[in-house]
């Protein structure tokens, strides 16, 4: 068990979308007893969205994980890994077959308090030329994790970082999503405004599906040392997504 450095770029650099060669993803709300055996999932990333999780490995001190933390598993390693937590935890799984990041250490200069309870799940989409924001409903059971070949597919993932400072939200510009993708706040906080006048304020552990690849777009304002993970959605996949009522 070691600290690693996820490859990242400045948030203003659009760059390639497949720095992390993701293949599939899954969102789940689990009790510890519901966590599937890691070898069954292959090499992958797990992003903690809510809850406090204890990560243990043989002959090593227990590490506590919270919202915004990312665990990178190499299931081919010899160490036995354990994850335990009370109550429910929200987790975002990303399958990255045969890929693990390089060793390294990432230091961040700010961390905003996570949202209590469930994370904020926001769908930003184009509605006749103007963007809208609504909570979305994950279209599958949140209480289980099926085999990886049942997960929605991805065409890649990447991480961005930009330190916006802590004095308040920075100005932003209206823009479209470059592709259909999930944006997960790992650190810092933001403000998203859509054409219907809705403001959302994601903090660590919150998830947005950025789906307004056409129309007038949305504006994002950042605060703090903001880290984001973006996971693309393959064309035609997850088409059954609906707003939460």
């Amino acid at each position: 068990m070691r600290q690693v450095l996820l490859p990242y770029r400045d948030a203003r650099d659009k760059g390639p979308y497949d720095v992390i060669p993701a293949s599939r993803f899954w969102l789940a709300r689990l009790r510890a007893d519901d966590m599937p055996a890691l070898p069954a999932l292959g090499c992958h990333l797990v992003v903690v969205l809510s809850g406090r999780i204890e990560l243990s490995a043989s002959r090593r001190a227990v590490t506590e994980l919270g919202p915004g933390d990312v665990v990178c598993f190499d299931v081919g390693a010899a160490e036995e890994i354990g994850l335990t937590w009370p109550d429910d935890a929200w987790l975002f799984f990303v399958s990255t077959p045969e890929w693990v990041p390089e060793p390294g250490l990432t230091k961040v200069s700010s961390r905003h308090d996570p949202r209590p309870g469930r994370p904020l799940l926001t769908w930003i989409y184009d509605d006749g030329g103007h963007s809208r924001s609504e909570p979305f409903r994950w279209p599958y059971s949140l209480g289980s994790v099926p085999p990886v070949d049942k997960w929605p597919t991805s065409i890649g993932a990447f991480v961005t970082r930009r330190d916006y400072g802590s004095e308040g939200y920075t100005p932003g510009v209206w823009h479209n999503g470059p592709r259909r993708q999930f944006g997960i706040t790992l650190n810092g906080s933001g403000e998203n405004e859509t054409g219907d006048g809705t403001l959302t304020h994601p903090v660590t552990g919150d998830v947005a599906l950025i789906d307004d690849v056409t129309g007038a777009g949305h504006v994002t304002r950042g605060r703090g040392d903001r880290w984001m993970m973006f996971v693309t959605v393959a064309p035609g996949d997850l088409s059954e997504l609906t707003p939460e009522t």
Side-chain angles (χ1 to χ4, degrees), residues 16-235:
Y17 58 80
D18 57 352
V19 176
I20 300 173
S23 64
R24 293 179 180 270
F25 58 87
W26 191 263
L27 176 68
R29 183 189 65 227
L30 300 174
R31 296 291 179 103
D33 291 343
D34 299 324
M35 181 72 179
L38 294 175
L41 298 179
C43 297
H44 60 278
L45 312 180
V46 177
V47 185
V48 181
L49 304 179
S50 75
R52 293 289 173 182
I53 295 177
E54 290 188 344
L55 168 67
S56 60
S58 54
R59 300 181 301 280
R60 295 178 185 269
V62 171
T63 299
E64 185 178 88
L65 306 171
D69 288 333
V70 181
V71 193
C72 312
F73 291 105
D74 181 355
V75 295
E79 288 184 301
E80 183 175 342
I81 302 295
L83 295 172
T84 60
W85 62 90
D87 305 319
D88 291 341
W90 288 73
L91 303 172
F92 194 94
F93 296 87
V94 184
S95 173
T96 61
E98 301 180 4
W99 182 89
V100 290
E102 296 296 325
L105 177 62
T106 300
K107 294 182 178 180
V108 296
S109 61
S110 65
R111 180 177 288 273
H112 292 270
D113 291 337
R115 190 178 308 280
R118 60 170 287 175
L120 181 68
L121 307 177
T122 304
W123 187 14
I124 299 175
Y125 63 95
D126 177 29
D127 181 17
H130 296 280
S131 59
R132 297 182 62 86
S133 294
E134 295 190 73
F136 70 82
R137 180 183 299 278
W138 183 246
Y140 310 105
S141 170
L142 283 164
S144 61
V145 181
V148 176
D149 61 3
K150 304 298 184 183
W151 298 5
T153 53
S154 169
I155 54 175
F158 60 100
V159 175
T160 64
R161 178 188 188 184
R162 182 178 174 186
D163 195 339
Y164 294 90
S166 58
E167 299 304 314
Y169 292 118
T170 59
V173 296
W174 289 87
H175 64 284
N176 293 107
R179 62 194 67 84
R180 198 168 190 234
Q181 60 191 17
F182 284 98
I184 305 171
T185 301
L186 304 180
N187 187 64
S189 63
E191 177 180 84
N192 291 319
E193 180 179 354
T194 46
D196 62 349
T198 301
L199 295 175
T200 53
H201 296 90
V203 295
T204 54
D206 288 342
V207 180
L209 176 61
I210 303 167
D211 205 8
D212 61 336
V213 296
T214 59
H218 64 280
V219 62
T220 299
R221 307 175 183 100
R223 183 172 63 181
D225 188 2
R226 192 166 192 229
W227 289 73
M228 296 286 298
M229 175 179 285
F230 294 91
V231 180
T232 64
V233 181

